[in-house]
Amino acid sequence: MIPNPGNPINPRILLNSLGIAVLLLEPDLTIAQSNPAAEQLIGLSVRRLVGRKLGEIVTFEGERLTSFLARGDAQLSAHSVATRFLEGPPVRLDIMLSPVIGYHGWQLLTLQEVGTGDILRGAEEPSLRAPAILAHEIKNPLSAIRGAAQLIARKVSDQDKSLTTLITSEVDRIAKLIDRMQRLGREQADPVAPCNLHEIIRRAADVTKAAGMQGVDLIEEFDPSLPPVLANEDGLVQVLINIITNARDACKNTENPQIILRTRFVSGLVLNAIRLGRPIRLPIEVRISDNGPGIDPGLTDHIFEPFVSSKKNGQGLGLALVSKLVRDMNGRISHERDEAEGWTHFRIHLPLAK
C-alpha cells in the first residue's frame, strides 16, 4: 500500500529502516544523527554518538577521505577503506559521502562492511563453492590412480616399487588437500556451545609445541575473568593451531622470536548478522601476535581468500579455512601489521555464551 500523500512518511522512520549505517554530519563534522545500523556497526548508542566529532569515533586510513570530509560538499564513493572505531581493531568498509541538498556543509556518511552479503552466504559463495566443486571432480580419478599404482606394484621389481610408492604417496597428499578444499565448501556450520576459551587456547598451543616451536617463546597474557564463549571447540582449536603455526613459521628466524597469546574483553564490537535478524555482540578478543617480518603487503588484503599464500610451498587454504570456521561461529577475524613496533597481529572476536 502506498502511503497517503496527506500523511507522508517521517524521514526519521526511513532512516531507521535502512540496513546500512548512516551518520548525519554538521558542517564542523559533529555527528547530528545516526540510525540503528550505525549504532550496531560502531557499537555506541545514538546518545553517545550525537554531539561528538566524527574524528573522535571514526578514523580512516590515509588522508584523502578526511580531506573530502573537510570540504563539506564532496560526493564520494570509496571501496574497502581501512577504518577504526574508537580503539577497536581495523575493519574494511565501503563508504559513501553525500552533501545534503539545501543545507550547506551538512553531509550524509554511509558505512557498510565489505562483503556484508557474506553473512547471507552470498558474496563469498562463488569463491568457496569453486574449491568444493573442483574437489568433487578430482577425487574419483585420484582413487583410480591409487588403485592402479597398487596393482602395478605387485608386478614390478623391488627396485621399481619406489616409483609406485611415490605415486600412491602423492595421491594421498593430494587427497588430503582435496579434503581441506571440501571443508571450505561446506555450507552447514558445525554446532556451537559454551566453551572455556583459555582451555582451548592451551590445547592448541600444546599441539603446536609438540610439533616443535624451533626456539620461539610462547607467551600467555590471559584475562582470567573472561566468561565462556559461544564457539565450536574443535573448530576453534583448529583455527588457533593454524594461526599459531603460521606465527611460529613467520618469526622463527627472527632474533628473540616471540608469539604472544592474549585474551581480553572489548566493548562495543558488533557483527550485523542479517541472516539471524539481529546484531551479535563480539566482546571477547583473542589476539595472536608474532615479531616476524610480516606478510607481503601485496597480499594483505587477500590473505583470507582461497589459494593465496606467502609461503614458498603454501597451498593458500589454511587462512581461508580459518576465516570460514570463525564465520561459522558468528565471529570475526582480522589481520593487522604494526610496522612501528615490528609485530603482526591476528585478532579473533567471539560472542559470549548466554
Side-chain angles (χ1 to χ4, degrees), residues 148-224:
Q150 289 175 326
L151 288 174
I152 294 172
R154 299 175 186 175
K155 301 179 181 180
V156 299
S157 65
D158 291 341
Q159 183 178 357
D160 292 331
K161 281 185 179 179
S162 61
L163 296 175
T164 58
T165 301
L166 175 63
I167 293 172
T168 55
S169 63
E170 280 300 290
V171 166
D172 290 342
R173 183 184 65 81
I174 295 171
K176 291 179 182 178
L177 175 60
I178 296 301
D179 287 340
R180 298 181 73 187
M181 292 169 65
Q182 285 182 313
R183 289 194 70 186
L184 275 178
R186 285 176 56 188
E187 296 185 9
Q188 184 175 0
D190 291 326
V192 295
C195 300
N196 184 311
L197 180 60
H198 296 142
E199 287 182 1
I200 291 175
I201 297 174
R202 289 195 173 110
R203 179 178 157 193
D206 287 343
V207 172
T208 312
K209 289 176 183 176
M213 288 303 292
Q214 300 171 331
V216 178
D217 287 333
L218 198 59
I219 301 168
E220 295 180 358
E221 295 181 358
F222 292 168
D223 179 350

Side-chain angles (χ1 to χ4, degrees), residues 164-303:
T164 58
T165 301
L166 175 63
I167 293 172
T168 55
S169 63
E170 280 300 290
V171 166
D172 290 342
R173 183 184 65 81
I174 295 171
K176 291 179 182 178
L177 175 60
I178 296 301
D179 287 340
R180 298 181 73 187
M181 292 169 65
Q182 285 182 313
R183 289 194 70 186
L184 275 178
R186 285 176 56 188
E187 296 185 9
Q188 184 175 0
D190 291 326
V192 295
C195 300
N196 184 311
L197 180 60
H198 296 142
E199 287 182 1
I200 291 175
I201 297 174
R202 289 195 173 110
R203 179 178 157 193
D206 287 343
V207 172
T208 312
K209 289 176 183 176
M213 288 303 292
Q214 300 171 331
V216 178
D217 287 333
L218 198 59
I219 301 168
E220 295 180 358
E221 295 181 358
F222 292 168
D223 179 350
S225 67
L226 292 184
V229 298
L230 194 62
N232 178 270
E233 183 170 336
D234 289 340
L236 189 53
V237 168
Q238 184 62 55
V239 165
L240 291 167
I241 288 173
N242 281 26
I243 299 178
I244 295 171
T245 300
N246 286 348
R248 178 202 65 194
D249 294 344
C251 70
K252 63 184 180 182
N253 295 322
T254 303
E255 185 177 358
N256 299 320
Q258 291 183 340
I259 298 173
I260 299 177
L261 307 177
R262 182 186 183 196
T263 63
R264 64 171 184 154
F265 186 91
V266 290
S267 61
L269 190 60
V270 177
L271 174 69
N272 192 18
I274 299 173
R275 69 183 174 91
L276 299 179
R278 58 183 173 84
I280 298 177
R281 297 195 175 275
L282 306 175
I284 306 299
E285 178 184 281
V286 183
R287 191 183 76 182
I288 302 96
S289 306
D290 71 81
N291 62 347
I295 295 169
D296 183 344
L299 299 178
T300 299
D301 294 339
H302 307 284
I303 59 172

Side-chain angles (χ1 to χ4, degrees), residues 86-119:
L86 300 173
E87 299 299 322
V91 294
R92 290 205 166 266
L93 303 179
D94 292 335
I95 293 172
M96 184 174 293
L97 180 65
S98 305
V100 179
I101 298 175
Y103 293 83
H104 179 72
W106 287 68
Q107 302 174 87
L108 280 175
L109 180 66
T110 65
L111 310 167
Q112 184 174 21
E113 287 188 272
V114 172
T116 299
D118 293 357
I119 307 302

